[in-house]
Amino acid sequence: MGCRWAFLIGLLGAMWLLGSGHGGQQAPETAAQRCFCQVSGYLDDCTCDVETIDKFNNYRLFPRLQKLLESDYFRYYKVNLKRPCPFWNDINQCGRRDCAVKPCQSDEVPDGIKSASYKYSEVANNLIEECEQAERLGAVDESLSEETQKAVLQWTKHDDSSDNFCEADDIQSPDAEYVDLLLNPERYTGYKGPDAWKIWNVIYEENCFKPQTIKRPLNPLASGQGKSEENTFYSWLEGLCVEKRAFYRLISGLHASINVHLSARYLLQETWLEKKWGHNITEFQQRFDGILTEGEGPRRLKNLYFLYLIELRALSKVVPFFERPDFQLFTGDKVHDAENKMLLLEILHEVKSFPLHFDENSFFAGDKKEANKLKEDFRLHFRNISRIMDCVGCFKCRLWGKLQIQGLGTALKILFSEKLIANMPESGPSYEFHLTRQEIVSLFNAFGRISTSVKELENFRNLLQNIH
Ligand SMILES: *[C@@H]1O[C@H](CO)[C@@H](O)[C@H](O)[C@H]1NC(C)=O
Ligand SMILES: *[C@@H]1O[C@H](CO)[C@@H](O)[C@H](O)[C@H]1NC(C)=O
């Protein structure tokens, strides 16, 4: 499956690896080059280059996406931030004010969303269940014992829920609250050091597809590894099947993206009157400068672009779902809902117009058995990562972590469901493929975050060009 493509990526990846890392013996590099020199030209996974992505994102997609994400439908995200950490007890609750999340007073959330999100997903879910019951149970011989019928029902239920990549965040729980994302921007919180480390370590170490033989910490931020181990690590990575390699790169891209935000919205100054947030070039360099990070920084940035392309691809694949006349961005305000749907479709058509030169036959679409196995592997890993998010001590980081993991999980669910989406009826309910409001909100907000990162990279590139 997808071998040609995997080979091509391997080749490009190897070329890129050879060209990176210990280089830099030529002319002294400027500060900007030290972060960005390898982040240009063609990307490994797509015959599109970084410059094209930057232009497309920064001028065509980003402004519209920002507008969409400010709408009521997308700004309110229901989340349970009170779930206990299932893996360890000693969470340091971060006492910083900047970490706190302000939940909405219940009168701030438009009524339409409060009641409709339940209604919307409930009605849709009931429809799906009813239809699937009708379809699957209908085919069952009536002579089945009651017990067996019950079992079949359970399987059906399991099949339904097994499509969720992330722990369904129990949004019906009394602990779940609506959060206004615009009031809780993702920015520097001071949450770093050992606690943050532990989270990322667990994510990389225990959840990435890991080789038995490699001792190097998978967390690229971990220090102290020798060059030869580093080479073993990357050759191992290149040897993985394309999807498993992708998993590592997606996590690394997400990590990078979050760090770009924290560097771009750093708490620069605090007086009793106001707080000033802005770009901290030193912080950015510490995370992405090729020399300061021993070659890791530019790799992280490449992974960020990879994540961008994967989510972009998911959006382009899911267009038919949103195009159905039955689909609404329901908040109860008919005029705005219709306007927002138009804006959403405009964005999706823009996404579709981007020349994504992926090999259409590969990636999450190998032979059915293999693809199902992979899908299951990915799903388990993702569920786990979303549970790890309950261990993040900083609530704001937990909020954005959960949202972005759910968004990425939704993107993968879409990519794994390409065929179902392609066969979706043009009108009427879609029984085979469905996205809940939570999934939709997280998908677009997560993409909005990466789109913002790409835009911020341009800002940092300009800022770095002014220093020597
Ligand atoms: C899930 O995470 C836990 C704790 O980090 C780990 O022990 C377990 O192996 C992980 N499972 C999977 C499927 O990654
Ligand atoms: C920028 O970040 C560095 C740490 O990376 C910190 O030492 C410095 O104080 C920050 N600068 C400002 C203006 O806050």
Side-chain angles (χ1 to χ4, degrees):
M1 52 155 281
C3 256
R4 263 173 314 129
W5 197 66
F7 172 72
L8 199 65
I9 292 184
L11 196 66
L12 285 167
M15 281 161 56
W16 161 60
L17 280 169
L18 284 175
S20 68
H22 334 296
Q25 277 94 349
Q26 299 95 6
E29 293 166 307
T30 66
Q33 280 166 347
R34 277 169 51 174
C35 292
F36 289 107
C37 67
Q38 294 150 28
V39 191
S40 68
Y42 287 101
L43 279 169
D44 328 350
D45 311 283
C46 171
T47 56
C48 42
D49 56 278
V50 168
E51 291 74 14
T52 311
I53 300 176
D54 284 352
K55 249 206 288 191
F56 169 73
N57 178 71
N58 299 356
Y59 301 102
R60 289 169 64 183
L61 219 46
F62 176 79
R64 290 177 195 166
L65 197 54
Q66 284 318 96
K67 191 167 167 229
L68 182 72
L69 295 180
E70 283 169 17
S71 70
D72 280 356
Y73 186 90
F74 286 100
R75 70 189 280 186
Y76 298 108
Y77 178 61
K78 196 169 192 189
V79 64
N80 181 359
L81 295 173
K82 294 182 187 146
R83 277 157 54 112
C85 166
F87 300 117
W88 60 80
N89 294 323
D90 60 325
I91 308 183
N92 280 336
Q93 290 295 350
C94 148
R96 286 175 162 263
R97 247 178 318 147
D98 303 335
C99 275
V101 168
K102 237 177 79 189
C104 296
Q105 300 303 310
S106 68
D107 57 349
E108 281 173 7
V109 181
D111 284 337
I113 290 186
K114 266 188 291 187
S115 52
S117 67
Y118 288 139
K119 227 193 284 164
Y120 168 58
S121 55
E122 224 169 58
V123 168
N125 284 340
N126 286 345
L127 275 177
I128 294 173
E129 263 175 41
E130 268 172 35
C131 168
E132 280 187 355
Q133 263 183 31
E135 234 172 48
R136 296 188 203 190
L137 288 182
V140 172
D141 187 328
E142 276 176 358
S143 66
L144 275 185
S145 72
E146 222 177 275
E147 238 167 64
T148 317
Q149 288 194 26
K150 263 191 205 147
V152 173
L153 251 178
Q154 296 248 281
W155 300 334
T156 315
K157 278 211 185 100
H158 171 79
D159 282 348
D160 286 347
S161 65
S162 76
D163 230 22
N164 291 323
F165 267 72
C166 296
E167 193 83 350
D169 198 19
D170 195 14
I171 60 166
Q172 312 276 15
S173 141
D175 281 339
E177 283 176 298
Y178 276 105
V179 170
D180 183 344
L181 297 171
L182 297 184
L183 286 185
N184 295 283
E186 185 187 28
R187 62 188 173 195
Y188 182 79
T189 60
Y191 180 71
K192 53 182 182 182
D195 290 334
W197 266 83
K198 189 166 166 186
I199 300 287
W200 283 108
N201 271 333
V202 171
I203 292 178
Y204 283 107
E205 290 296 323
E206 289 175 36
N207 294 286
C208 287
F209 299 88
K210 205 184 161 190
Q212 262 77 52
T213 51
I214 306 266
K215 292 200 188 63
R216 177 191 193 273
L218 288 189
N219 183 348
L221 288 183
S223 56
Q225 64 271 0
K227 286 278 180 240
S228 63
E229 277 179 41
E230 181 180 303
N231 285 339
T232 327
F233 172 72
Y234 283 103
S235 55
W236 159 74
L237 196 60
E238 291 308 313
L240 272 187
C241 99
V242 63
E243 287 88 352
K244 290 184 180 172
R245 179 164 64 246
F247 188 93
Y248 171 82
R249 300 189 62 193
L250 291 174
I251 299 298
S252 166
L254 185 61
H255 194 175
S257 173
I258 289 173
N259 283 335
V260 170
H261 294 300
L262 306 188
S263 313
R265 305 192 77 174
Y266 197 94
L267 179 57
L268 295 175
Q269 219 179 33
E270 186 171 16
T271 67
W272 61 276
L273 255 183
E274 58 163 6
K275 287 183 187 156
K276 220 177 129 231
W277 305 89
H279 295 87
N280 182 329
I281 300 175
T282 317
E283 179 80 13
F284 183 82
Q285 284 175 310
Q286 280 181 4
R287 296 176 187 280
F288 298 108
D289 181 290
I291 293 174
L292 295 179
T293 60
E294 299 188 6
E296 281 293 343
R299 275 187 194 125
R300 292 175 199 152
L301 293 181
K302 279 213 163 189
N303 290 339
L304 192 157
Y305 279 98
F306 178 72
L307 174 65
Y308 183 88
L309 287 174
I310 289 288
E311 294 200 358
L312 197 68
R313 177 173 169 165
L315 289 178
S316 78
K317 293 290 173 193
V318 79
V319 177
F321 175 79
F322 291 109
E323 269 179 336
R324 290 168 314 123
D326 297 17
F327 177 79
Q328 308 180 43
L329 291 173
F330 189 88
T331 64
D333 178 337
K334 268 193 184 148
V335 178
H336 280 116
D337 291 354
E339 279 172 8
N340 285 328
K341 183 172 174 182
M342 256 163 64
L343 179 57
L344 177 90
L345 291 180
E346 208 183 293
I347 290 170
L348 288 175
H349 288 140
E350 190 75 57
V351 166
K352 242 184 139 173
S353 76
F354 185 72
L356 292 153
H357 300 299
F358 278 102
D359 180 344
E360 288 296 313
N361 299 320
S362 64
F363 222 38
F364 310 120
D367 82 73
K368 195 151 184 255
K369 217 171 126 206
E370 200 176 344
N372 279 341
K373 168 88 175 58
L374 256 177
K375 179 177 172 182
E376 184 60 14
D377 275 357
F378 266 61
R379 200 177 60 76
L380 288 178
H381 280 73
F382 257 86
R383 274 186 114 101
N384 223 7
I385 294 184
S386 60
R387 287 167 74 208
I388 292 173
M389 290 297 152
D390 288 321
C391 303
V392 174
C394 157
F395 282 112
K396 196 172 272 172
C397 316
R398 191 184 290 192
L399 164 67
W400 285 101
K402 274 172 173 276
L403 180 138
Q404 291 178 83
I405 289 291
Q406 190 181 20
L408 178 53
T410 305
L412 291 174
K413 169 175 160 176
I414 293 167
L415 292 178
F416 277 120
S417 312
E418 266 188 57
K419 290 197 183 104
L420 294 182
I421 299 172
N423 295 333
M424 207 158 50
E426 265 169 38
S427 64
S430 75
Y431 298 120
E432 296 269 6
F433 177 84
H434 181 73
L435 294 179
T436 64
R437 177 180 182 276
Q438 285 289 106
E439 286 175 316
I440 295 167
V441 170
S442 63
L443 175 69
F444 281 89
N445 271 292
F447 184 66
R449 295 281 74 208
I450 307 164
S451 169
T452 307
S453 287
V454 169
K455 171 92 175 136
E456 284 298 350
L457 288 183
E458 182 180 50
N459 294 335
F460 274 114
R461 196 179 280 125
N462 292 336
L463 287 168
L464 284 164
Q465 250 143 26
N466 296 330
I467 61 169
H468 296 284

